[in-house]
Amino acid sequence: MESANSPLFEPARIGPIELKNRFIKAATFEGMTHDGIPGPKLTGFHRRLAEGGIAMTTLAYCATEADGRLHDKMMYLHRGIEHPLRRLVDEVHGAGARVAGQVVHCGGFSKNRNLQRLKRPLGPSRGMNLLGAPAGMPIAGAMGPKDIDAFVRTFTDAGRLMKDVGFDAAEVHFGHGYGLSQFISPKTNRRTDEYGGSLANRMRLPLRALEAFREGAGDSLAVIGKISMSDGVKGGVSWEEGVRVAAMLDAAGIDGIVTSAGTSSFNPMLMFHGDSMAHGLIEQEKNPIARLGLKLFASRLFRDYPYEEIYLLEHAKRVREAVRCPIVYIGGCATRESAETLMREGFDFIQLGRTLIEDPDFVKHAMADPSYVSGCNHCNRCTALIEHPDGIRCVLHDPA
Ligand SMILES: Cc1cc2nc3c(=O)[nH]c(=O)nc-3n(C[C@H](O)[C@H](O)[C@H](O)COP(=O)(O)O)c2cc1C
């Protein structure tokens, strides 16, 4: 098939594993584990993606402990879900794709009232917990030395479980305003000890977590890091500093870097571009206080970033130039032509989020047709469905 004659459809290595092509499903929280169990619906979602030809899927938001979840209807990595998790991994393998899990801790950004180890959400410094405010938890506390050690240990346990159930890769989340990102960002990290101040200090805990994860996971899994190249907020990580974050992860031996941007807490639209997420979120929000807050702050929180193809390209190129490890591009790749551009620019892999939610067969279609364009219109309504009882879907195909 002549149109498949492209590096996009050739295998490549990332860390200890080989991927059959360059397409990876990005972590998009599925909202399919309301009972905390990765059951048939979630498994079917990822199996379907595998059948569409991607090389690897990513199971979103695998919290490293119960208190690492944003709310208590999410899954967390523990021995109680070992069997269903192994079934999910086995089924995706059976459908021809590899499986990564996104390893995350929410830190001080949480609305989980059902905390187990902690009394309240903890981040690097005492500060506002905007997500928790409607749930009566407006303030996150600061971690003390013992909290930091306990936080880091959760990554070792997570790594061990992921190795035992057969994951091929782990995507450690260093971005988007979650726990590790809160330490990296000077906006949320105002510590004066060895974990705050200089970038080297702010990276100390994230690098410890990476090492701890590897200690549990061993050498057989590829360990990839997802970063925010910029927080997109005054006082946060700048684009220049984002390049240094990537270089430090590279120097620490990470197997690959996913070059995202923005934070869920301060500037989510930098991550997405396109129509404001506010419309869908206001429609879906059940808590009247949270709905009012969304209406009042929508224009400040959801800034205007018109959609354009591969909108993070210029910034991701800076990271590409600065590091040696494989780079996984993310952000607005919805056409075969964009994917070819990314190969020419030296990226190793491409993560697709909304494109694959709209068309799980994107890879097959792109392989057959060099001019293929996905039908995603970047309405961003799928992002508002992460707490919907049925989980996420593309509203263009299933508006109900
Ligand atoms: C419904 C939905 C849920 C998402 N959940 C996550 C998540 O759990 N973790 C994460 O790192 N990014 C999450 N994202 C962001 C995507 O991984 C990705 O960074 C973003 O969608 C831009 O890539 P795209 O243009 O290929 O969609 C989510 C995106 C969507 C659309």
Side-chain angles (χ1 to χ4, degrees):
M1 192 183 298
E2 201 195 329
S3 58
N5 189 12
S6 153
L8 283 170
F9 306 103
E10 285 168 9
R13 291 194 76 76
I14 185 159
I17 65 168
E18 186 178 85
L19 298 186
K20 68 181 178 185
N21 62 43
R22 310 309 179 92
F23 293 102
I24 302 173
K25 165 68 175 55
T28 60
F29 183 63
E30 305 88 351
M32 295 174 190
T33 54
H34 300 290
D35 52 3
I37 297 169
K41 183 153 188 159
L42 185 68
T43 303
F45 178 86
H46 287 282
R47 191 183 49 233
R48 176 70 189 85
L49 287 159
E51 287 163 359
I54 52 164
M56 181 158 76
T57 192
T58 308
L59 184 58
Y61 212 104
C62 301
T64 60
E65 63 162 335
D67 295 353
R69 299 174 294 175
L70 301 171
H71 56 77
D72 66 358
K73 301 277 183 285
M74 297 173 93
M75 183 192 92
Y76 67 98
L77 294 171
H78 66 292
R79 293 286 160 188
I81 60 163
E82 198 169 340
H83 296 299
L85 207 49
R86 185 173 292 131
R87 251 197 313 274
L88 185 153
V89 170
D90 288 348
E91 281 210 27
V92 176
H93 283 164
R98 291 192 179 269
V99 192
Q102 187 179 56
V103 181
V104 201
H105 196 295
C106 63
F109 185 65
S110 166
K111 59 178 179 179
N112 185 2
R113 294 181 59 84
N114 184 17
L115 293 172
Q116 297 186 14
R117 182 174 65 83
L118 301 169
K119 291 197 177 60
R120 62 174 163 160
L122 297 180
S125 306
R126 187 179 151 83
M128 278 297 290
N129 168 22
L130 280 180
L131 184 64
M137 300 188 301
I139 304 291
M143 289 187 205
K146 284 195 180 132
D147 302 311
I148 286 185
D149 290 345
F151 177 94
V152 168
R153 265 197 308 276
T154 69
F155 283 78
T156 307
D157 297 339
R160 202 166 287 130
L161 183 72
M162 287 180 72
K163 179 183 69 181
D164 290 350
V165 301
F167 277 94
D168 303 286
E171 178 182 274
V172 179
H173 209 331
F174 294 94
H176 294 184
Y178 299 115
L180 297 176
S181 157
Q182 288 158 25
F183 272 83
I184 300 172
S185 177
K187 171 94 179 156
T188 40
N189 182 347
R190 295 179 306 281
R191 298 178 74 97
T192 52
D193 62 2
E194 72 268 35
Y195 292 100
S198 65
L199 180 62
N201 278 359
R202 284 181 276 124
M203 283 295 286
R204 195 177 305 279
L205 178 135
L207 291 173
R208 272 189 67 189
L210 176 62
E211 194 185 316
F213 183 82
R214 277 211 189 274
E215 202 181 300
D219 297 332
S220 58
L221 267 76
V223 182
I224 303 163
K226 186 170 185 175
I227 65 166
S228 289
M229 295 183 286
S230 162
D231 289 341
V233 64
K234 199 165 167 235
V237 170
S238 63
W239 295 108
E240 291 73 27
E241 202 168 58
V243 176
R244 292 170 60 204
V245 168
M248 289 171 84
L249 292 174
D250 188 33
I254 202 139
D255 293 322
I257 294 174
V258 185
T259 50
S260 187
T263 67
S264 301
S265 36
F266 297 115
N267 190 357
M269 289 307 298
L270 183 58
M271 194 185 304
F272 294 108
H273 289 50
D275 296 351
S276 174
M277 297 157 70
H279 313 299
L281 285 171
I282 291 167
E283 276 163 24
Q284 296 293 329
E285 183 56 65
K286 301 275 178 304
N287 180 325
I289 305 172
R291 199 163 51 236
L292 181 67
L294 276 169
K295 281 184 184 162
L296 289 175
F297 293 108
S299 60
R300 271 182 39 206
L301 182 59
F302 303 106
R303 298 192 212 160
D304 200 16
Y305 293 98
Y307 182 81
E308 55 186 273
E309 277 291 296
I310 42 178
Y311 48 82
L312 292 177
L313 176 61
E314 289 311 312
H315 295 294
K317 276 161 70 174
R318 303 284 102 75
V319 174
R320 173 64 295 171
E321 285 157 16
V323 306
R324 280 173 309 176
C325 71
I327 299 291
V328 184
Y329 177 86
I330 192 168
C333 178
T335 71
R336 160 98 183 248
E337 193 188 337
S338 296
E340 296 287 1
T341 303
L342 292 168
M343 290 291 106
R344 279 195 303 276
E345 294 287 358
F347 295 95
D348 301 278
F349 297 96
I350 305 167
Q351 279 198 357
L352 307 173
R354 292 162 293 180
T355 292
L356 285 168
I357 295 174
E358 190 276 329
D359 178 11
D361 288 320
F362 176 83
V363 175
K364 277 188 190 160
H365 289 146
M367 198 170 189
D369 176 4
S371 59
Y372 187 70
V373 175
S374 112
C376 175
N377 65 357
H378 311 101
C379 69
N380 288 324
R381 296 268 166 166
C382 54
T383 64
L385 298 174
I386 56 174
E387 291 185 29
H388 189 278
D390 295 329
I392 58 165
R393 65 175 192 278
C394 177
V395 301
L396 295 175
H397 299 303
D398 185 2

